[in-house]
Amino acid sequence: RDIATCIAAVAEKAGAVTGNRVRTSLSTFFSWAMMHGLVESNPVIGTAKNREHSRERVLEPAELRAIWNALPDNHFGAIIKLLALTGQRADEIAALRWSEIRDDAILLPGERTKNHRQHIVPLSVPALRILDAQARRVTAAGELRDLIFGVGDGAFSGWSRSKEKLSASITVAIGKPLPHWTPHDLRRTTATGMAEIGIQPHVIEAVLNHVSGHKAGVAGIYNRSSYEREKRQALDLWAEHLLSCVEGRESNVTSLRHAR
């Protein structure tokens, strides 16, 4: 009963998905405790799992424009812009390190990616400008800080408060609040936008560091290409298309949807 009540309380406050993640963590903990003779059973077994709904939010061009133009000139603003330009995961960009920047690309080591595979993210000119504008800082001990964003010894973590302030700014700018969105929606929006301007699915998967579709199963075993050249072209095209959208000007990239 205690476990079920705890999971229900988390789900009510933070959502069904978070409730399920807490349930999984608790179950893993009690399974470990059983293996070490600390408890006789796993009390999570038998508790209900919350129903999860697939997230399908893709931001419209007007929404992207409203978000981009209301972003503050700080770490949060830089991170959101980089997420929109690169399509990477929020935690990967929030914890980005100077040592991971190699010339005009990000080199994410396997321990920093969801699938534990090294991932190269070519940087468009707008993305490079955002990174170039970040100051190199030192720690309290006087050592050069490797983490680009955040304060203290950790990576950027002020998501909730920063997004609340951004939402307030957007409401003032456009006269109404945007429907609920999350930083992860930018990843889905980038993938969808790339597809709309004609980027091939296998290249989009490579940009997102997905091992599915074209690189899953037997195809993945024999096709070891990382599509670095194609990824660079795709991200350059997407950057031009995105900036034309947020700046309210004509894009130099022709969408296949409009070309048919």
Side-chain angles (χ1 to χ4, degrees):
R1 185 182 296 112
D2 289 341
I3 297 296
T5 301
C6 173
I7 295 171
V10 172
E12 182 178 357
K13 182 177 181 180
V17 174
T18 303
N20 286 342
R21 299 303 174 267
V22 169
R23 180 180 181 274
T24 299
S25 297
L26 286 171
S27 183
T28 301
F29 168 72
F30 280 110
S31 294
W32 172 87
M34 286 177 65
M35 288 188 293
H36 288 78
L38 301 175
V39 297
E40 295 182 356
S41 63
N42 183 345
V44 182
I45 294 175
T47 58
K49 185 176 181 180
N50 298 302
R51 184 177 179 181
E52 296 184 18
H53 298 280
S54 176
R55 293 177 292 182
E56 299 178 352
R57 179 90 156 94
V58 174
L59 297 168
E60 296 293 334
E63 293 177 316
L64 277 174
R65 187 179 307 117
I67 292 169
W68 186 285
N69 291 329
L71 285 169
D73 184 18
N74 59 14
H75 285 180
F76 177 71
I79 290 169
I80 293 297
K81 287 181 179 181
L82 286 173
L83 292 178
L85 286 164
T86 66
Q88 302 311 298
R89 293 182 173 88
D91 58 341
E92 293 170 349
I93 298 300
L96 193 61
R97 292 159 168 78
W98 289 113
S99 58
E100 294 170 346
I101 308 299
R102 307 294 176 86
D103 297 324
D104 55 357
I106 296 171
L107 177 58
L108 291 174
E111 58 267 23
R112 282 250 293 124
T113 64
K114 186 175 181 178
N115 59 17
H116 306 297
R117 293 171 180 254
Q118 179 178 283
H119 181 42
I120 298 176
V121 185
L123 292 167
S124 61
V125 171
L128 282 169
R129 286 174 180 163
I130 292 170
L131 288 172
D132 287 342
Q134 305 309 311
R136 297 297 298 265
R137 296 170 294 149
V138 296
T139 65
E143 299 176 348
L144 197 61
R145 195 175 191 271
D146 195 25
L147 286 163
I148 299 176
F149 304 113
V151 295
D153 295 327
F156 177 82
S157 59
W159 294 101
S160 297
R161 187 174 181 181
S162 295
K163 191 168 180 297
E164 287 177 3
K165 290 182 178 180
L166 174 61
S167 295
S169 297
I170 292 173
T171 300
V172 171
I174 67 175
K176 61 180 180 179
L178 288 184
H180 177 71
W181 64 279
T182 69
H184 188 76
D185 294 333
L186 293 168
R187 180 171 167 84
R188 191 179 302 106
T189 301
T190 296
T192 302
M194 283 184 171
E196 290 181 341
I197 61 174
I199 307 300
Q200 293 299 305
H202 63 281
V203 178
I204 297 174
E205 287 186 347
V207 168
L208 299 180
N209 197 20
H210 275 174
V211 183
S212 59
H214 289 77
K215 291 297 288 288
V218 175
I221 294 173
Y222 292 101
N223 182 3
R224 296 296 184 181
S225 172
S226 55
Y227 302 110
E228 298 309 323
R229 180 174 60 85
E230 291 87 350
K231 284 160 59 176
R232 181 169 298 283
Q233 292 175 343
L235 286 167
D236 284 344
L237 287 172
W238 170 245
E240 162 57 26
H241 186 76
L242 174 63
L243 288 187
S244 69
C245 168
V246 300
E247 293 171 0
R249 58 176 173 80
E250 277 297 316
S251 172
N252 293 328
V253 181
T254 301
S255 169
L256 290 185
R257 175 179 294 180
H258 298 110
R260 291 172 182 169

